[in-house]
Amino acid sequence: MLKTPKVAAPEPSSDPDVQLMLRFRAGDENAFRELFEKHARAIVNFAYNFVGSRPRAEELAQDVFLQVYRAGPRYEPNAKFTTWLYRIATNACLNEVRRPERRYRTRPLERDTDDPGERGEIALPDPDAISGESALAGRELEARIRDVLGALPENQRAALVLSRVDGLSYRDVADALACSESAVKSLVFRATATLRRELEEFL
Amino acid sequence: MIAACDDFAAELVAYLDGELGDADRARIETHLGTCLACRRELEQLRRLRALIDGMRPLELSTDFADRTWQRLDPLPAHAPRRRARTVLWAAPTLAAAAALALVWYSQVARLGGAPTAPAPHSVAAAPRAHDANEHAVASRSEKEQAVAPRENEEGGAPRDVANANDVTEYPPDLVEHPELFLHLPVVRRLNRLEHFEEVRQYQNDQPLGQVSPGTAEVG
C-alpha cells in the first residue's frame, strides 16, 4: 500500500511558485521571469530524456513556458505549480514523441502491457567495449542509460523520469500523468525492472 | 530471491523511493532482515538508482533564455491583450445596439403624436395602400432603403403624416412603454419587431414573409 499522508496536503496557495504565478496573473512580468529561471533547466532536462536532442529539448521547453505565459491571465491555483508545469511538459513531450515522423527514433522495447511475456529485448552496444568501473561515470554509460530510458514505453519513461530524475512524489507524478498513484507505482516498478535487466552488467 | 519474494519486488522500488506507509515499510524491513536474496535485490536497485542519479544534467545553451524571450516578445503583455480582446468583442455589439436604438428612437419620434395606441384590430379602417408602401420599403435592400428618404425629399410623395402615425406598425406595448423596449436584449428587440411585422402581414391576408408584387414600385 502506498504511503498515506499523515497531514493534509498543503494548500496550493502556500506554494511560493503559485504565489509567483498569481503575481504574474496580476501583470508582474518579473514573476514569470523568476519562474522561468527557476525551472527552465529542469524542464529542458526532462524534455531531453524524452527526445534525446538538446535543440529539440530546448525548443520543447520554450513551448512549455510559452504555454505557461499564455495561460497566465486565466491561471487558477488548483495544484502545486510544479505539478501543473510538469503536466504541461509531459503533454508536450508525449505529443512530440508520438508524432509519426519521430516514431522511427524510439525503438519499441516492450509494449505497454502488464504481460511480462510480451517484453522484447533492447539492442545495446557490447558491454565489453566499456571498461568496467571507469565507465560508470563516463559518457558512454550515460548514453547507454539514456538509450534504455528512450526505449521505455512513454508512460513508463515519464513516470520514472518524473519520480527518479525530477524528484516528484508518486502523488505528483499521478497528477502530472492524470492517473492513479498505484498506476504510477506499477509504471515505476516496470521501468526500473527493465533498466535493471538491461544494465545488469554494471550493477 | 524465492518465489514468495516476488510479492516484495514492486514494494522494494516504492520502499527505496520512500513511498510506502509505515506499516508496509515495517513489513518490508522485517522481511529484509530474514531474506538474503531480497537484500541483494535491494542493493542492486540502489546501484541502479546511483547510475540514474549520476547522469549529468544538461546545461542550458548560453542563449537559451534570450531565445525564449525572443519568442515571448511578440506576444503582448497578457493584461492589455485581455482588455483588447474584450474591446474587439464589445465594439460590434455596442455598435449594433446603438444603431438599433437610433432607428427605434427615430420611429418613436415619428409616432410622437399618438400618446396612446389603439389596439391593432380597432384601426382596420387605416388605408391599406400605405401598408403596401411600408412593405415595399421594408423589403428593399439596405442601399435602396438609404435612398428612399431622399426620394421623398426630392419630389416623391411625402409620407402621409396620418398614415405614418399608424401605430398598428408597432406592438402596442412598445408604443405605450418604450422604456421597456430599451431594456430588452438586442436579439429580443429584433424578434419583437419581426414578430409584429408577421402579425401585420397576417392581418392583411398576405403570405408571411412576402410582399405583394404591386408594392415593390413605390417611389
Side-chain angles (χ1 to χ4, degrees):
Chain A
M1 181 180 291
L2 290 178
K3 169 176 66 179
T4 52
K6 297 188 178 91
V7 294
E11 287 294 318
S13 57
S14 65
D15 180 356
D17 290 341
V18 166
Q19 294 301 320
L20 286 171
M21 269 307 288
L22 292 174
R23 278 173 47 197
F24 174 55
R25 187 180 70 178
D28 184 353
E29 299 271 333
N30 287 331
F32 178 80
R33 283 183 177 266
E34 280 188 53
L35 286 168
F36 173 81
E37 288 165 5
K38 186 175 179 182
H39 297 286
R41 189 180 180 208
I43 296 300
V44 169
N45 274 279
F46 175 75
Y48 184 63
N49 283 319
F50 268 85
V51 297
S53 154
R54 174 199 287 270
R56 192 69 197 105
E58 291 188 345
E59 195 175 342
L60 279 170
Q62 286 178 349
D63 291 344
V64 170
F65 282 100
L66 278 172
Q67 287 190 52
V68 172
Y69 188 87
R70 288 181 174 130
R74 59 181 187 279
Y75 173 75
E76 292 296 335
N78 297 322
K80 282 173 60 182
F81 174 77
T82 48
T83 302
W84 181 62
L85 180 67
Y86 276 104
R87 190 183 303 150
I88 296 173
T90 302
N91 287 336
C93 290
L94 291 178
N95 287 339
E96 172 67 14
V97 298
R98 286 169 182 167
R99 282 167 52 193
E101 62 268 29
R102 276 193 53 86
R103 285 188 185 278
Y104 70 94
R105 297 178 63 177
T106 50
R107 292 162 293 177
L109 178 59
E110 65 180 75
R111 295 178 198 166
D112 187 15
T113 172
D114 288 325
D115 182 3
E118 292 189 8
R119 292 176 185 152
E121 292 298 325
I122 187 171
L124 289 174
D126 180 5
D128 294 335
I130 302 175
S131 55
E133 293 288 330
S134 64
L136 289 178
R139 290 177 178 240
E140 291 178 346
L141 176 59
E142 187 170 322
R144 287 189 61 190
I145 297 172
R146 290 196 188 280
D147 276 349
V148 179
L149 274 176
L152 289 173
E154 295 153 4
N155 51 359
Q156 288 185 29
R157 192 184 338 163
L160 184 70
V161 170
L162 286 170
S163 67
R164 186 65 251 143
V165 180
D166 292 289
L168 270 65
S169 68
Y170 284 9
R171 178 178 180 174
D172 289 341
V173 175
D175 285 343
L177 298 181
C179 64
S180 66
E181 282 187 61
S182 58
V184 170
K185 181 182 176 185
S186 173
L187 289 169
V188 171
F189 165 68
R190 284 187 283 155
T192 303
T194 302
L195 260 72
R196 183 186 174 286
R197 187 174 66 248
E198 300 299 337
L199 300 172
E200 191 165 14
E201 63 268 30
F202 302 107
L203 300 177
Chain B
M1 194 162 60
I2 58 177
C5 297
D6 287 345
D7 294 340
F8 289 93
E11 303 295 323
L12 284 179
V13 177
Y15 172 76
L16 271 181
D17 286 339
E19 292 284 347
L20 291 182
D22 291 343
D24 289 319
R25 191 168 61 245
R27 184 171 56 86
I28 292 290
E29 288 172 350
T30 300
H31 176 77
L32 287 171
T34 60
C35 181
L36 179 60
C38 280
R39 284 202 300 274
R40 287 178 176 162
E41 177 73 9
L42 184 66
E43 185 57 32
Q44 289 218 324
L45 289 175
R46 283 201 174 105
R47 290 178 186 168
L48 178 63
R49 285 165 55 100
L51 285 183
I52 297 172
D53 293 346
M55 290 195 303
R56 291 163 302 178
L58 198 65
E59 293 299 328
L60 299 180
S61 302
T62 53
D63 62 342
F64 174 70
D66 290 339
R67 283 188 285 115
T68 305
W69 300 128
Q70 283 174 5
R71 288 184 67 184
L72 288 172
D73 276 344
L75 298 175
H78 61 287
R81 189 169 45 142
R82 195 180 192 186
R83 284 196 295 271
R85 278 202 301 269
T86 303
V87 170
L88 286 176
W89 171 84
T93 306
L94 290 173
L100 184 66
L102 187 62
V103 169
W104 188 82
Y105 266 124
S106 67
Q107 298 293 337
V108 169
R110 203 157 52 86
L111 298 173
T116 58
H121 59 271
S122 67
V123 291
R128 294 303 175 202
H130 174 70
D131 290 345
N133 290 350
E134 292 298 312
H135 272 294
V137 171
S139 65
R140 286 179 184 174
S141 67
E142 289 184 12
K143 184 177 179 180
E144 289 172 329
Q145 288 186 28
V147 172
R150 193 189 319 142
E151 288 174 343
N152 285 337
E153 292 167 7
E154 293 175 352
R159 286 179 180 276
D160 184 334
V161 175
N163 286 343
N165 287 340
D166 186 350
V167 294
T168 62
E169 291 186 26
Y170 302 96
D173 58 331
L174 299 187
V175 176
E176 293 172 6
H177 304 288
E179 71 282 3
L180 297 178
F181 183 70
L182 291 175
H183 289 190
L184 292 174
V186 172
V187 172
R188 288 190 60 196
R189 291 180 203 173
L190 292 171
N191 288 342
R192 292 292 298 272
L193 291 174
E194 289 174 2
H195 171 71
F196 184 73
E197 178 64 14
E198 290 176 356
V199 170
R200 193 175 64 79
Q201 291 186 13
Y202 177 75
Q203 289 174 343
N204 293 341
D205 296 323
Q206 293 177 358
L208 295 183
Q210 291 185 14
V211 176
S212 60
T215 63
E217 297 177 1
V218 176

